[in-house]
Amino acid sequence: AFGGLGGVAAAGEGGAAPAAAAALPSVVLRPSLRLDERIPTEARRELPTFLFGDALHGQTDRETVLEGDAVLRRGDTVIRADRLRYDSPSDTARAEGHVRLNRAGNLYTGPELQLQVETFEGFFTQPTFSFLKNGGYGEAARADFIDDQHTVVHDVRYSSCRRTGPEWMPDWVLRAARVEIDNEQDVGVAQGAVLAFKDVPILPIPAFSFPLSDRRKSGFLPPTLDLDSVGGFTYSQPYYLNLAPNFDATLTPTLMTRRGVALGGEFRYLQPTYLGQVVGNFMPSDRLRDRDRWGLSAQHQQALPLGGGLALNFNRVSDANYWRDFTRGIAPLTQRLLPGDARLAWSGNGWDAQLRTLKWQTLQDVAAPIVPPYDRLPQLAVRYGVAAPRGWQYGIDLDQTRFRADALLTGQPNAQRSVLNARASYTWATPGSFLTPALRLSAARYAFDAPLANGSSRASRSVPSFSLDGGLVFERDTTYFGRAVRQTLEPRAFYTYTPYRDQSRIPIYDTAAKDFNFDSIFSDNPYVGNDRVADNNLLTLGLTSRLFDPATGGEAVRLGVAQRFRFTDQRVTLPGVAPVSERLSDMLFGGSVNWSASWRADASLQFNPKTGRSLRTTLGGRYSPGPYRVVNASYRLQNGVSELLDVGWQWPINDLWGDRGLDLGAGRGQGPGRWYSVGRLNYSLMDRKLVDTILGVEYDAGCWIGRIVFDRLQSGAATSSSRIMFQLEFVGFSRLGSNPLKTLRDNIPRYQYLREQTLPPSRFSNYD
């Protein structure tokens, strides 16, 4: 080895370091969460140069010639060749024979290289190259290095397909007369280019730019092609605008053969104290409805001084049929209830305050009309809560709301409501028990815009409540099915008493019955909202048993049962609901099993002991033995209302003939030449028909992925829309066709992309 060209000092064996070396500043190591990927320009000038070879000759500080396994190394630049000549005054390296250049993980190989090492200026003849960030490969007639960030390559063939031999013919290839590579911006600009797949030209492009990484850049995104039963053949061509590091926008003109032309857009922004996005579309003269159609959705969140905050959520569409005709459009606009919500909030020292305005747009359907919710114009809410020492807890909520809606649709007058909710509780707790008595007071006052049926324009109520919640926890270490576990037995009792107060004349503005489950059965009021406080004199008993892994604390099994015992009738109910006189409520059974990482099952049952029938049953399970292998299944029954069977999956088809694939890690697939089946089927047993359907296949060839997905979405009792999505993904380069990935991710729990980079590649992962 020959060192010293950049200035190297070393201590002699068995002796002290020279005085010059002793005067050097000491090295101090500090904790760091990352390893610096790029060498600063100032430090690069001071880097030493190391030369290695089987034979060396030349003149000191002028020229050095290496023969046989020659290596030049400086920082993140390494040159290997059969013969290497280094000129020290000009800092120029000339390499010949099996030349290999590694620059920060990017590799070039070829017969001849000339390079000024520090400025990285020079040329490479007949190089083959591979890029670290996107895994792309290529070959060219010549590469000209302009500087350390810019390269011009001539007569190029580029692909992400692995090179398999000298007669390299990849499945897909980009051919171009000239490509300008900008590593600073992570983009390439090709001129005179054509994209070929299976040696068939599919996309001639005179000039275009493409990414070298996932870094954002302005330009045309791949077009989207759809075949839809409502819109016909659909072509969308998005254009992305990288306005700033914290601002961007996307414009998407769309052509639908059955409906016309539309323009969509999205604007996103991000600042230290606020962020948000605005999404919208406009379709003039939609032939489906013979009118202009538009939709707009905007969200904004902002932090204000002194603990304040601002949140805006605005959603509006042109007409009542928008949700039905644009089922795959802007996600917040596919519902029938669209909020326009503005909130100004503040919190500090146990206090929370919020000023809110909420106005709904209700999209009515003649076949299935809905009662519109009340607008809140405005609402002022103040809350104070504190956990005092020694187990005491106090809280108070104040709410002043103005409710407005169309009285002809709601059947009751608009009103102004004032609410006060106060609570106090104390908890005695030990490692194996707890007991919490609590007192609550709920008071409300109403001022109506029009008199009620009794002629009154005002109403009020004040209801106190008492509850006592207690439980025990027993545990033991035992063994089940050969596995050591810790088992618990947790009995719980909850008693609540609320006296009767007549509330039958008070309208309903924001109140509904709670879902009957393991949470609500242990609550003192069966309603959410502030218009009803039920009179209760009841006791809830429950029993839960769990199995834990004593080493990790992970829950392997949970089983529970609960039932209410009512001592007096419940007379306060919602309008049209009869008083509750049953002394015993339905029984709730529930459980979950997560015995291994591959299997998980959940079940719940609402059982009426008097009739001996189940009113509601839910069964669910998931089997996921490894990456890209998952099956989800659920059964949901609500007696007399619905009965649904739902199955979703992602599974390698190659498993059928014993090809289990490779474990390449997250986001890298299971190796080339593999087929995957994906889908979701939602079947109504009551109607005996499929409600929603997704069926598709994916093929991973290694450097390209093909996807075909059929999607059928039920948008009404008698209406549905179907589409076929086909996508060809050139890995590390671009995607062509329609994009089914969001549909698959939204509908198949634990679906995994075949190419999803979890961590950016490091130059040290390709260290030479």
Side-chain angles (χ1 to χ4, degrees):
F2 183 85
L5 294 177
V8 177
E13 293 184 7
L24 292 175
S26 60
V27 176
V28 179
L29 298 179
R30 295 184 175 89
S32 175
L33 297 180
R34 68 181 183 87
L35 190 62
D36 199 347
E37 288 284 318
R38 300 189 59 179
I39 301 174
T41 304
E42 297 76 11
R44 188 179 292 277
R45 298 191 183 101
E46 305 298 327
L47 291 175
T49 301
F50 297 92
L51 298 173
F52 305 86
D54 294 341
L56 178 151
H57 61 87
Q59 294 179 306
T60 304
D61 295 331
R62 291 190 60 83
E63 183 182 70
T64 303
V65 180
L66 300 170
E67 303 278 357
D69 291 332
V71 180
L72 181 149
R73 181 183 296 273
R74 181 188 297 177
D76 58 2
T77 301
V78 179
I79 303 173
R80 297 179 181 272
D82 294 339
R83 188 173 189 273
L84 191 148
R85 182 188 301 269
Y86 177 72
D87 184 73
S88 181
S90 64
D91 192 29
T92 300
R94 296 178 177 84
E96 298 175 351
H98 302 95
V99 182
R100 175 185 172 94
L101 169 64
N102 186 328
R103 171 70 172 194
N106 295 325
L107 297 178
Y108 299 83
T109 61
E112 181 182 1
L113 167 70
Q114 178 174 312
L115 184 71
Q116 287 186 304
V117 182
E118 181 177 330
T119 62
F120 210 75
E121 298 178 37
F123 65 88
F124 213 137
T125 60
Q126 298 180 349
T128 62
F129 53 87
S130 63
F131 296 132
L132 174 67
K133 291 184 178 180
N134 68 345
Y137 291 78
E139 59 185 21
R142 178 185 171 98
D144 293 321
F145 302 109
I146 310 303
D147 53 40
D148 63 339
Q149 298 295 333
H150 300 86
T151 304
V152 177
V153 189
H154 305 271
D155 194 12
V156 185
R157 290 200 308 166
Y158 173 83
S159 177
S160 61
C161 300
R162 292 283 177 178
R163 191 179 185 94
T164 57
E167 299 299 326
W168 181 49
M169 183 53 65
D171 286 348
W172 73 268
V173 64
L174 174 71
R175 299 186 180 93
R178 173 187 171 97
V179 175
E180 300 176 6
I181 298 173
D182 186 342
N183 289 315
E184 187 174 15
Q185 300 296 325
D186 286 334
V187 298
V189 179
Q191 298 177 357
V194 61
L195 179 63
F197 178 64
K198 295 293 185 179
D199 208 26
V200 176
I202 61 173
L203 191 63
I205 313 173
F208 77 104
S209 62
F210 58 94
L212 299 177
S213 69
D214 58 358
R215 186 173 177 177
R216 301 181 309 170
K217 64 175 293 290
S218 297
F220 286 102
L221 299 178
T224 299
L225 307 175
D226 273 340
L227 186 60
D228 193 291
S229 62
V230 176
F233 176 76
T234 302
Y235 176 85
S236 299
Q237 178 56 71
Y239 185 84
Y240 178 76
L241 295 166
N242 185 24
L243 304 175
N246 56 337
F247 294 91
D248 67 2
T250 305
L251 298 176
T252 308
T254 300
L255 171 64
M256 299 183 183
T257 56
R258 292 185 180 179
R259 300 177 60 176
V261 178
L263 177 63
E266 179 185 28
F267 174 69
R268 302 185 299 178
Y269 53 93
L270 175 64
Q271 289 285 12
T273 59
Y274 63 88
L275 59 90
Q277 66 175 5
V278 180
V279 187
N281 69 347
F282 175 68
M283 174 178 282
S285 302
D286 184 359
R287 292 196 293 269
L288 183 65
R289 301 288 177 182
D290 196 24
R291 60 166 295 172
D292 295 346
R293 315 292 296 279
W294 58 267
L296 179 64
S297 176
Q299 289 79 37
H300 176 87
Q301 298 181 33
Q302 183 167 355
L304 300 176
L306 304 177
L310 174 66
L312 303 174
N313 181 22
F314 179 82
N315 303 274
R316 287 296 183 268
V317 296
S318 57
D319 56 271
N321 290 307
Y322 189 94
W323 68 279
R324 190 195 311 277
D325 300 338
F326 294 89
T327 54
R328 300 179 179 89
I330 302 170
L333 304 181
T334 59
Q335 309 298 320
R336 294 180 62 185
L337 294 175
L338 304 179
D341 195 359
R343 306 187 189 201
L344 185 63
W346 173 85
S347 63
N349 298 322
W351 288 91
D352 293 283
Q354 177 179 267
L355 178 63
R356 180 187 189 189
T357 63
L358 173 62
K359 187 173 180 61
W360 296 92
Q361 181 183 12
T362 305
L363 308 184
Q364 292 290 3
D365 186 355
V366 177
I370 57 177
V371 177
Y374 277 89
D375 301 330
R376 304 183 184 211
L377 301 172
Q379 177 186 19
L380 176 62
V382 179
R383 172 177 295 183
Y384 176 74
V386 62
R390 299 182 180 179
W392 285 99
Q393 291 184 318
Y394 308 95
I396 186 170
D397 299 339
L398 301 172
D399 187 286
Q400 180 80 17
T401 304
R402 173 68 176 171
F403 292 101
R404 293 182 183 178
D406 189 341
L408 296 177
L409 296 176
T410 61
Q412 57 188 29
N414 297 332
Q416 180 125 344
R417 188 188 67 189
S418 304
V419 175
L420 180 148
N421 291 315
R423 60 195 178 278
S425 65
Y426 183 83
T427 300
W428 287 277
T430 70
S433 65
F434 72 93
L435 183 65
T436 304
L439 291 173
R440 292 177 175 81
L441 175 66
S442 178
R445 182 178 295 274
Y446 297 81
F448 304 107
D449 290 359
L452 301 178
N454 62 355
S456 175
S457 60
R458 294 183 181 274
S460 63
R461 56 111 176 118
S462 179
V463 186
S465 179
F466 168 76
S467 66
L468 183 63
D469 191 7
L472 300 172
V473 179
F474 303 96
E475 64 179 34
R476 65 169 184 165
D477 291 330
T478 185
T479 301
Y480 283 103
F481 303 106
R483 178 178 177 179
V485 294
R486 180 162 297 162
Q487 182 181 15
T488 69
L489 188 66
E490 306 168 38
R492 180 182 178 185
F494 178 82
Y495 173 77
T496 182
Y497 175 76
T498 305
Y500 171 74
R501 298 291 186 269
D502 186 9
Q503 304 163 53
S504 60
R505 294 187 178 91
I506 298 177
I508 299 297
Y509 294 101
D510 66 351
T511 301
K514 292 180 180 177
D515 187 35
F516 190 62
N517 53 39
F518 278 93
D519 180 60
S520 64
I521 201 172
F522 289 98
S523 65
D524 56 0
N525 189 14
Y527 304 117
V528 293
N530 290 301
D531 297 316
R532 290 290 186 274
V533 179
D535 55 316
N536 280 324
N537 185 10
L538 55 84
L539 174 67
T540 301
L541 298 178
L543 183 65
T544 302
S545 181
R546 310 171 198 260
L547 298 181
F548 292 96
D549 186 320
T552 65
E555 185 181 86
V557 178
R558 183 182 73 252
L559 300 174
V561 60
Q563 188 177 28
R564 273 179 171 173
F565 300 87
R566 189 176 301 278
F567 299 107
T568 59
D569 294 352
Q570 178 189 324
R571 299 162 60 188
V572 177
T573 61
L574 296 175
V577 179
V580 181
S581 58
E582 292 288 344
R583 291 297 180 258
L584 292 177
S585 73
D586 295 338
M587 297 185 69
L588 287 178
F589 298 91
S592 67
V593 179
N594 193 16
W595 195 252
S596 70
S598 301
W599 288 93
R600 180 175 180 85
D602 300 274
S604 64
L605 174 67
Q606 180 181 341
F607 178 77
N608 189 315
K610 180 177 290 187
T611 63
R613 298 184 61 185
S614 169
L615 299 182
R616 185 167 52 184
T617 304
T618 301
L619 302 174
R622 181 179 66 240
Y623 176 58
S624 181
Y628 311 103
R629 293 180 173 90
V630 61
V631 177
N632 305 281
S634 66
Y635 170 79
R636 296 186 295 272
L637 168 66
Q638 191 168 357
N639 206 352
V641 179
S642 65
E643 188 176 10
L644 296 173
L645 180 63
D646 199 323
V647 180
W649 69 91
Q650 179 187 26
W651 203 271
I653 300 177
N654 293 52
D655 285 3
L656 297 176
W657 51 85
D659 180 8
R660 300 289 298 178
L662 304 173
D663 185 6
L664 300 177
R668 299 179 61 186
Q670 295 183 317
R674 295 185 61 77
W675 291 87
Y676 300 82
S677 172
V678 293
R680 180 196 174 197
L681 300 176
N682 189 301
Y683 183 77
S684 173
L685 296 171
M686 183 174 293
D687 299 327
R688 296 184 179 181
K689 68 176 183 180
L690 284 169
V691 180
D692 295 331
T693 304
I694 297 174
L695 293 172
V697 293
E698 299 178 290
Y699 177 72
D700 185 356
C703 61
W704 63 271
I705 300 172
R707 298 182 178 94
I708 301 178
V709 177
F710 170 77
D711 178 16
R712 180 183 179 274
L713 179 64
Q714 194 80 22
S715 56
T719 59
S720 64
S721 61
S722 304
R723 63 174 174 171
I724 297 177
M725 294 174 283
F726 172 79
Q727 184 182 65
L728 192 59
E729 177 179 346
F730 302 111
V731 176
F733 181 68
S734 185
R735 295 175 180 146
L736 298 180
S738 54
N739 189 357
L741 294 176
K742 185 177 186 303
T743 299
L744 298 176
R745 176 64 64 89
D746 291 345
N747 289 276
I748 304 174
R750 290 203 171 188
Y751 169 81
Q752 292 179 275
Y753 294 167
L754 299 181
R755 292 292 183 275
E756 186 175 28
Q757 186 170 284
T758 56
L759 293 174
S762 166
R763 69 181 177 92
F764 298 102
S765 64
N766 199 15
Y767 184 76
D768 197 335

